[in-house]
């Protein structure tokens, strides 16, 4: 199943990454910025509450108003973090892994906050300051390790904490193709251990009744749903409070993202499942037919997690199906793939259990 999962992500990552912008709600509106793009003959469309996708990517210096802070480059899924945290003006907020500052600045565009941004890499933290300056926003910056609050925390609790933690980045392979060569299987456990330590450390600084938002750009359960489940089991005073129903703008953004995806991705994933199943069965015989069925059962969950790469907890598989997750297409392919597998088994002579 792991080989299916990794190969599936790589298959989905083949198309060229789109250029998605976040409109600065303090400076302009989506409608006005789309009109400005049209005046510069740059085709674009709205893909979220404040998200605009440029149909043919261009250098940022060609984007009208970029230098003046009208827009920032940020993937549509990444733009879900700030509305999820939903920090209100006057709140004390921590962005625990802030660089390069996309989510830091988004939080500040939405509300007047007492915000502290920390990152363990001082050089990357400088990019946060550059983005703050371009957007004419202010935050306190400290180069520090989020796992060691005693080295940077003044003892005053935070109303909201964003933990956009280090991860395998398996959900952004399309934008960072080097990940396919740099990552190793052992990296998942290594990152999961680091994430666990970071979550436990940051929970100490959250105010009573406050919120901790955990985010990754990974598709692996070990870094997402399993990490959340383990955290909730360790901390009796924590509960999973993510609800789309209470945030109409966020729900609309997620639905828009799902509705506008290229659904050929499902066909690609079904082909990957078939290839992997055939490979495993020609080696081990029909006894692994159940594994192929299990792979199909898991496909819906894997696709749902990939769709919300910044936070797989955001959309549960059942909810994703309600939002046009086309599982039926995968099920229809199952019979054809089983026939192909049977033919491969006969050819390989592996017809016994």
């Amino acid at each position: 199943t792991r080989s299916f999962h990794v190969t599936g992500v790589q298959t989905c990552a083949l198309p060229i990454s789109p250029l998605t912008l976040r409109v600065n709600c303090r400076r302009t509106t989506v409608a006005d910025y789309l009109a400005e793009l049209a005046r510069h003959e740059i085709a674009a469309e709205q893909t979220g509450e404040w998200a605009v996708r440029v149909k043919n990517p261009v250098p940022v210096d060609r984007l009208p108003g970029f230098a003046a802070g009208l827009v920032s480059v940020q993937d549509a899924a990444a733009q879900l973090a700030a509305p999820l945290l939903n920090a209100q003006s006057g709140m004390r907020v921590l962005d625990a892994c802030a660089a390069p500052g996309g989510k830091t600045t988004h939080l500040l565009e939405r509300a007047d906050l007492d915000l502290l941004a920390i990152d363990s890499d001082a050089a990357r933290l400088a990019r946060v300051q550059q983005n703050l300056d371009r957007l004419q926003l202010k935050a306190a910056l400290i180069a520090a390790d989020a796992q060691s609050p005693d080295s940077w925390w003044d003892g005053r609790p935070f109303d909201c904490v964003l933990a956009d933690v280090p991860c395998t980045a398996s959900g952004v392979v399309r934008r960072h193709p080097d990940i396919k060569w740099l990552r190793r299987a052992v990296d998942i456990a290594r990152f999961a251990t680091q994430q666990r330590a970071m979550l436990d450390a940051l929970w100490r600084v959250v105010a009573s009744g406050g919120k901790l938002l955990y985010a990754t750009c990974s598709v692996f359960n070990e870094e997402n749903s399993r990490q959340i489940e383990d955290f909730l089991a360790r901390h009796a005073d924590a509960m999973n409070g993510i609800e789309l129903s209470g945030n109409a703008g966020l729900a609309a953004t997620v639905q828009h993202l799902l509705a506008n995806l290229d659904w050929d991705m499902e066909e690609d994933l079904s082909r990957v499942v078939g290839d992997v199943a055939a490979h495993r069965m020609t080696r081990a015989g029909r006894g692994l037919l159940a594994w192929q069925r299990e792979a199909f059962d898991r496909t819906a969950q894997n696709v749902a997690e990939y769709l919300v790469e910044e936070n797989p907890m955001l959309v549960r598989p059942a909810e994703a199906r309600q939002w046009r997750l086309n599982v039926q297409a995968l099920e229809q392919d199952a019979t054809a793939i089983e026939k192909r597998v049977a033919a491969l088994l006969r050819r390989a002579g592996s017809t016994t259990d």
Side-chain angles (χ1 to χ4, degrees):
T1 303
R2 170 67 65 200
S3 57
F4 148 68
H5 201 149
V6 173
T7 309
V9 170
Q10 292 178 348
T11 301
C12 294
L14 293 178
I16 297 174
S17 298
L19 175 61
T20 305
L21 309 176
R22 184 188 76 236
V23 175
N24 185 347
C25 60
R26 288 180 178 260
R27 307 287 300 281
T28 187
T29 66
V30 172
D32 286 347
Y33 192 71
L34 285 172
E36 186 68 17
L37 287 173
R39 281 192 288 272
H40 286 76
E41 298 183 342
I42 299 176
E45 61 183 349
Q46 183 172 1
T47 59
E49 187 177 11
W50 292 97
V52 168
R53 177 174 297 174
V54 177
K55 293 185 177 181
N56 296 301
V58 299
V60 292
D61 58 9
R62 284 192 54 200
L63 295 171
F66 180 83
L70 296 188
V71 292
S72 298
V73 176
Q74 187 179 43
D75 285 343
Q79 294 184 36
L80 299 177
L84 262 178
L85 197 57
N86 199 25
Q88 303 297 306
S89 291
M91 284 187 173
R92 181 167 160 80
V93 177
L94 170 68
D95 188 348
C97 306
K103 297 180 181 67
T104 301
T105 53
H106 194 191
L107 287 165
L108 290 167
E109 287 173 2
R110 290 170 51 89
D112 295 318
L113 306 172
D114 176 11
L115 190 146
L116 171 63
I118 67 174
D119 199 276
S120 59
D121 189 329
R124 297 189 73 228
L125 198 64
R127 294 182 59 193
V128 179
Q129 187 61 62
Q130 292 170 1
N131 281 314
L132 288 168
D133 293 343
R134 182 177 62 83
L135 296 166
Q136 301 176 37
L137 300 168
K138 294 185 181 299
L141 306 185
I142 298 178
D145 185 351
Q147 295 183 59
S148 305
D150 292 340
S151 68
W152 52 264
W153 185 39
D154 62 6
R156 292 185 295 150
F158 293 92
D159 301 296
C160 296
V161 174
L162 172 59
D164 187 9
V165 297
C167 66
T168 57
S170 50
V172 290
V173 173
R174 180 168 58 172
R175 192 168 299 285
H176 302 284
D178 55 313
I179 292 170
K180 291 183 286 187
W181 288 272
L182 296 178
R183 288 288 177 256
R184 300 293 181 266
V186 295
D187 290 338
I188 299 175
R190 178 172 61 84
F191 278 113
T193 299
Q194 182 182 10
Q195 293 155 2
R196 176 189 175 109
M198 191 170 291
L199 279 172
D200 289 342
L202 291 174
W203 190 241
R204 292 172 46 199
V205 311
V206 179
S208 177
K211 289 184 285 188
L212 169 62
L213 177 64
Y214 174 78
T216 78
C217 51
S218 169
V219 299
F220 297 134
N221 286 334
E222 293 90 332
E223 299 181 273
N224 292 298
S225 56
R226 195 173 303 168
Q227 191 73 262
I228 296 298
E229 292 166 2
D230 291 347
F231 175 81
L232 294 174
R234 295 194 304 274
H235 297 275
D237 58 340
M239 66 177 183
N240 189 350
I242 293 179
E243 293 292 342
L244 292 183
S245 58
N247 192 326
L250 177 63
T253 297
V254 174
Q255 290 179 345
H256 192 99
L257 284 170
L258 295 176
N260 287 278
L261 283 169
D262 181 358
W263 290 105
D264 287 344
M265 178 174 67
E266 294 171 355
E267 182 180 348
D268 292 338
L269 284 174
S270 67
R271 284 201 297 267
V272 170
V273 174
D275 292 342
V276 175
H279 174 67
R280 291 287 295 274
M281 288 183 212
T282 53
R283 291 174 53 193
R286 288 185 298 178
L288 278 176
L289 189 61
W291 178 89
Q292 192 261 353
R293 274 297 185 189
E294 179 187 351
F296 272 100
D297 291 339
R298 287 176 54 84
T299 298
Q301 178 181 351
N302 290 335
V303 172
E305 291 177 359
Y306 182 82
L307 298 185
V308 285
E309 60 190 23
E310 281 291 319
N311 195 332
M313 289 295 289
L314 179 61
V315 178
R316 300 177 183 87
E319 294 170 339
R321 292 189 194 97
Q322 294 172 10
W323 289 338
R324 295 181 56 200
L325 180 63
N326 192 1
V327 180
Q328 290 76 19
L330 295 172
E331 294 173 346
Q332 291 170 2
D333 286 341
T335 301
I337 290 177
E338 283 184 352
K339 290 180 180 179
R340 196 173 98 208
V341 169
L344 288 169
L345 287 172
R346 288 194 295 270
R347 193 181 309 160
S350 302
T351 56
T352 60
D353 290 345

